[in-house]
Amino acid sequence: MFQRALLSCGNKKRFTIFTTVRSLSNELNASESEPVSLESVTSHLTKYGMTYQQGYACIKTTCPRFTQPKLKLNKLDQLYINKTTGFFVCANCKRSGPWEKLRDNISLVAGSLNNGKVLRPVLCFKNWTEDASEQSVYDSVSKIMSKCRTEPLEEEEFAYLSKHLKMDGIKQRTFTAYNVKVLSDKSGVILPSCNIDMVYIWAKTMSLKNNKLKTQTYPRTNYNGLFGWPVARNRKHVVLTSSEADAMAVYQETGVAAIALPRGISTLPQEALPLLEGFEKITLWFDNSVPAFESAKTFAKKLGESRTCIVRPEAMSPAPLQALQQGYNLKNSLSQSISLLQEHVISFGSRRSDVKHELILAEHVAGIKWKYFHKLTELMKGHRRGELTVFTGSTGSGKTTFLSEYSLDLCSSGVNTLWGSFEITNIKLMKTMIQQFARKDLSQHISEYDEWADQFELLPMYFMNFHGQQNIRKVIETMSHAVYIYDIAHVIVDNLQFMMGSLDSRYDRFSKQDEIVGIFRQFATKMNCHVTLVIHPRKEDGEALSTNSIFGGAKASQEADNILILQTHKGTGSAYNKYLQITKNRFDGTLGSMRLKFDRSCKSFASKSKDSSRISSDDGETESGEKTEYPTAW
């Protein structure tokens, strides 16, 4: 159900339904099935006599083709089923996909078995339709790998290359251990990633082009392999890093196997979890930023907090490669890793270092900064996880258009974003977004569309495939699923009124709204995810809106961490006839307004300027007389 309920920009066919798994057939059933539960999975396995064992993130069992009632537990290493989503990976059949496909396959294979004895030839997943694009992925990676040198570089050549690739300190023998290959023209390297079958399915190239470091990935959107898997696969302890160079630095200096996550601190794909299931201890070693620490906490929940630790460096301590280059002892740093397992009752002493960390990194703790809305950053200080923002504005004022750019700005800075647009279709929303992203009217530059679309689809932006009235339970289930699968950090719900009809008709409108607001407040806190909730205001005749203008009772304004109001000056001829007002800011109490200028050609309130350090005046010119398209700040 959830694969159909979520959309992504990253699909071969623009703006089509996105799935993270291969289909068993060309048709994907969109039935409204119930969410997968751990109990339903284990009950089905038990029904067909499949022995299983619950791991940290996955259920371990064996391929249904070879299942026997008395199978020994030490042979449960062929089939992995995600305990949260039901997503499976079968190492024997080389298949992966949603629980529904595995469930149907188990039932089918069971009909061909009798007490573990095959009555007729059994073909697992016989209805599976091979994905031709998958083979092309393997072929493209193999083709890239074939362009490499087979012999090592001379010492001086390697020193020159590693310096210009910003990998000083990494030795050539470490490159060899991680199967890093040098391009035949010696201009760069290839960093390959494996799947569970030790097949290279993804590769990154780093090379020097015109004295500039250029990075490319093959394929562009498949990030499910792990760099360093051959080194780590038989170990009990592994370190996870956000870059390939960091992984090699850790292994070289400590002897502990290290793996680079395919998407850095952005996302831990569920496809990677089966590969990490066998490790008894996992240490996360990212940089010292607050976003990295927030990602570490999210990843620890997926991996199992009981086995996960984090190397949390002090403010001036760098990530592994920088630590190596600056002369730090990486063994000492690794030995000081701390557990992320949360206790229900704590003392100051147990969190003393955390408090110090936040004081030292106060600027980072404030959250992700906006690139285009500088005054918003000045007022709000940043965008933080776990908060609830209530956003309102009069009908037709441009709430969705502004939020589109507001969220796109954050997404471009690495904030994984999920949109729930119930009022306008996703196609219309995406059309607005891509023109805001390109800063131009693409209908007048249609030849550039594919170029901009290629860049846009790489953003961690996802969309709920809902429109019109929706059940609040279904929306929350989809949001929860997205947070787990895509590590979503920001959810926009536009708007609350479209879920009012899903509650008991015995409630009045105010009670319904209060309950929905409470549900989103709980979601933001529990999932450590920022929720921006659009609520229409009461009808106000010509007057500026205020916190009291928000429709419903007082619960929305009480529960919200932030309240943003899009105001409109009626009857003014100025281009700056709109402004954003912050009437609540729980983080530090700063309130104020930011004047906005709308560029109709690209649907933008914050068109990009050549000089981002300048703030425009009322006539749209800087003090030097040059035009700038940044929003004016009050």
Side-chain angles (χ1 to χ4, degrees):
M1 177 182 81
F2 295 115
Q3 282 78 18
R4 300 289 287 187
L6 292 172
L7 294 174
S8 167
C9 307
N11 195 289
K12 295 180 181 179
K13 296 181 179 179
R14 308 283 187 219
F15 308 148
T16 54
I17 291 175
F18 174 81
T19 58
T20 60
V21 298
R22 295 174 287 183
S23 298
L24 293 178
S25 67
N26 293 326
E27 298 180 0
L28 187 61
N29 184 13
S31 62
E32 299 298 327
S33 58
E34 289 297 313
V36 176
S37 68
L38 180 60
E39 183 180 359
S40 65
V41 173
T42 56
S43 296
H44 194 77
L45 297 179
T46 302
K47 177 181 177 181
Y48 290 100
M50 295 181 66
T51 305
Y52 63 87
Q53 186 179 61
Q54 291 197 34
Y56 297 99
C58 301
I59 293 172
K60 297 186 292 183
T61 182
T62 189
C63 175
R65 180 178 178 182
F66 300 110
T67 293
Q68 298 178 17
K70 296 182 180 180
L71 188 70
K72 294 181 179 179
L73 289 179
N74 60 10
K75 295 184 179 180
L76 299 180
D77 58 356
Q78 295 176 315
L79 180 62
Y80 297 86
I81 307 170
N82 189 291
K83 293 164 64 175
T84 302
T85 66
F87 183 89
F88 76 93
V89 175
C90 183
N92 180 70
C93 294
K94 311 296 188 283
R95 296 286 186 259
S96 62
W99 163 246
E100 291 79 7
K101 301 301 182 182
L102 176 62
R103 180 192 61 199
D104 294 345
N105 181 68
I106 291 173
S107 302
L108 182 66
V109 173
S112 302
L113 298 173
N114 183 16
N115 295 325
K117 296 180 180 179
V118 179
L119 299 179
R120 58 182 182 273
V122 177
L123 181 61
C124 241
F125 298 104
K126 70 177 184 179
N127 294 325
W128 191 289
T129 302
E130 289 291 347
D131 187 353
S133 64
E134 181 181 314
Q135 186 58 47
S136 68
V137 166
Y138 298 156
D139 293 342
S140 65
V141 174
S142 298
K143 185 177 180 180
I144 294 297
M145 296 289 285
S146 67
K147 296 181 179 180
C148 301
R149 292 172 55 88
T150 56
E151 64 278 3
L153 293 175
E154 295 293 334
E155 186 173 334
E156 292 183 357
E157 292 177 320
F158 182 80
Y160 174 85
L161 181 62
S162 61
K163 178 181 179 180
H164 286 80
L165 294 180
K166 300 180 180 179
M167 293 186 184
D168 315 52
I170 305 297
K171 300 176 182 178
Q172 193 163 187
R173 58 178 173 81
T174 308
F175 274 38
T176 302
Y178 278 81
N179 203 28
V180 177
K181 303 293 185 182
V182 178
L183 296 173
S184 56
D185 61 0
K186 304 179 184 179
S187 64
V189 296
I190 296 178
L191 307 158
S193 296
C194 292
N195 63 8
I196 196 170
D197 304 315
M198 297 288 290
V199 176
Y200 289 111
I201 60 170
W202 182 72
K204 177 190 291 185
T205 63
M206 297 179 65
S207 58
L208 292 171
K209 301 292 184 182
N210 299 321
N211 293 323
K212 293 183 179 180
L213 184 59
K214 183 178 180 181
T215 301
Q216 288 183 300
T217 59
Y218 302 89
R220 294 174 64 248
T221 56
N222 178 23
Y223 300 95
N224 297 327
L226 291 181
F227 175 81
W229 171 241
V231 174
R233 61 181 306 202
N234 295 319
R235 304 291 187 96
K236 295 299 181 183
H237 178 202
V238 68
V239 176
L240 301 186
T241 68
S242 60
S243 75
E244 294 82 2
D246 283 339
M248 290 190 286
V250 170
Y251 176 67
Q252 175 180 291
E253 297 301 308
T254 69
V256 178
I259 287 175
L261 295 177
R263 305 184 194 182
I265 64 171
S266 174
T267 306
L268 175 58
Q270 64 173 341
E271 293 86 348
L273 294 179
L275 283 75
L276 302 172
E277 189 64 41
F279 297 109
E280 296 176 359
K281 180 180 179 181
I282 296 178
T283 301
L284 305 177
W285 193 344
F286 304 146
D287 58 43
N288 64 346
S289 67
V290 172
F293 183 60
E294 293 292 344
S295 293
K297 291 191 292 185
T298 301
F299 295 172
K301 292 179 180 178
K302 283 187 178 182
L303 296 166
E305 291 176 310
S306 62
R307 64 166 175 167
T308 307
C309 297
I310 180 174
V311 175
R312 186 172 182 177
E314 295 298 327
M316 300 307 294
S317 295
L321 179 61
Q322 289 180 299
L324 170 63
Q325 293 169 345
Q326 295 177 17
Y328 286 81
N329 187 316
L330 271 65
K331 283 187 176 181
N332 288 344
S333 297
L334 186 59
S335 67
Q336 295 173 11
S337 61
I338 60 174
S339 173
L340 284 172
L341 189 62
Q342 295 292 322
E343 301 173 1
H344 294 295
V345 179
I346 62 174
S347 64
F348 174 75
S350 65
R351 293 294 180 265
R352 176 173 174 168
S353 61
D354 294 342
V355 174
K356 179 181 178 182
H357 191 264
E358 293 209 0
L359 289 172
I360 295 174
L361 298 177
E363 190 70 16
H364 294 289
V365 172
I368 303 297
K369 316 304 180 187
W370 285 270
K371 295 178 181 177
Y372 305 135
F373 300 105
H374 301 298
K375 186 64 176 181
L376 188 58
T377 295
E378 180 183 327
L379 294 170
M380 302 287 293
K381 303 302 182 289
H383 185 269
R384 296 164 290 276
R385 283 177 175 257
E387 292 188 350
L388 174 66
T389 293
V390 169
F391 187 86
T392 192
S394 58
T395 302
S397 60
K399 294 188 296 295
T400 302
T401 303
F402 175 80
L403 279 179
S404 169
E405 189 164 27
Y406 168 96
S407 62
L408 182 62
D409 189 337
L410 294 167
C411 186
S412 299
S413 297
V415 177
N416 295 8
T417 304
L418 176 67
W419 253 92
S421 175
F422 307 111
E423 193 163 0
I424 68 169
T425 65
N426 284 313
I427 297 298
K428 290 182 179 179
L429 177 59
M430 291 175 183
K431 183 178 71 173
T432 297
M433 271 191 183
I434 196 170
Q435 292 184 98
Q436 292 171 336
F437 183 69
R439 306 293 173 193
K440 62 180 65 178
D441 183 356
L442 288 178
S443 67
Q444 302 301 315
H445 301 84
I446 198 65
S447 61
E448 299 180 26
Y449 172 76
D450 284 330
E451 178 184 351
W452 286 108
D454 285 343
Q455 297 180 48
F456 186 62
E457 71 176 356
L458 296 178
L459 295 175
M461 178 75 74
Y462 303 89
F463 302 84
M464 286 186 269
N465 194 18
F466 295 139
H467 187 61
Q469 289 287 336
Q470 298 297 328
N471 184 288
I472 181 64
R473 176 175 175 270
K474 184 178 179 181
V475 172
I476 292 295
E477 286 172 352
T478 302
M479 289 166 53
S480 300
H481 178 82
V483 169
Y484 180 86
I485 298 296
Y486 307 114
D487 297 300
I488 297 298
H490 184 203
V491 178
I492 302 95
V493 179
D494 184 14
N495 59 62
L496 176 144
Q497 275 77 4
F498 281 90
M499 283 158 282
M500 298 276 281
S502 66
L503 298 179
D504 194 322
S505 59
R506 293 174 295 179
Y507 293 146
D508 59 44
R509 291 183 302 166
F510 290 171
S511 298
K512 288 181 179 180
Q513 177 167 314
D514 287 350
E515 183 174 349
I516 292 173
V517 169
I519 290 172
F520 282 115
R521 167 74 271 177
Q522 184 180 18
F523 177 90
T525 303
K526 181 179 178 181
M527 306 301 287
N528 193 32
C529 177
H530 193 116
V531 175
T532 299
L533 181 62
V534 179
I535 303 178
H536 284 313
R538 297 188 182 97
K539 299 296 182 182
E540 307 242 352
D541 297 328
E543 298 181 4
L545 301 176
S546 67
T547 299
N548 293 330
S549 302
I550 299 172
F551 180 83
K555 189 175 181 66
S557 58
Q558 291 171 352
E559 294 283 9
D561 296 289
N562 316 293
I563 297 178
L564 278 59
I565 304 175
L566 186 59
Q567 304 275 19
T568 302
H569 287 299
K570 302 291 184 181
T572 62
S574 170
Y576 294 101
N577 67 335
K578 298 181 188 297
Y579 64 95
L580 186 72
Q581 184 177 12
I582 291 86
T583 62
K584 183 177 182 180
N585 176 2
R586 186 169 281 162
F587 181 72
D588 76 344
T590 303
L591 308 178
S593 300
M594 177 182 73
R595 202 186 315 192
L596 301 169
K597 179 181 179 180
F598 184 60
D599 185 341
R600 191 172 298 277
S601 66
C602 60
K603 315 295 184 186
S604 174
F605 285 97
S607 297
K608 191 174 182 181
S609 168
K610 292 181 180 179
D611 186 352
S612 62
S613 66
R614 294 172 178 171
I615 301 297
S616 61
S617 58
D618 286 350
D619 61 1
E621 295 186 356
T622 64
E623 294 178 358
S624 64
E626 297 180 0
K627 290 287 184 180
T628 178
E629 297 177 336
Y630 270 92
T632 297
W634 280 0

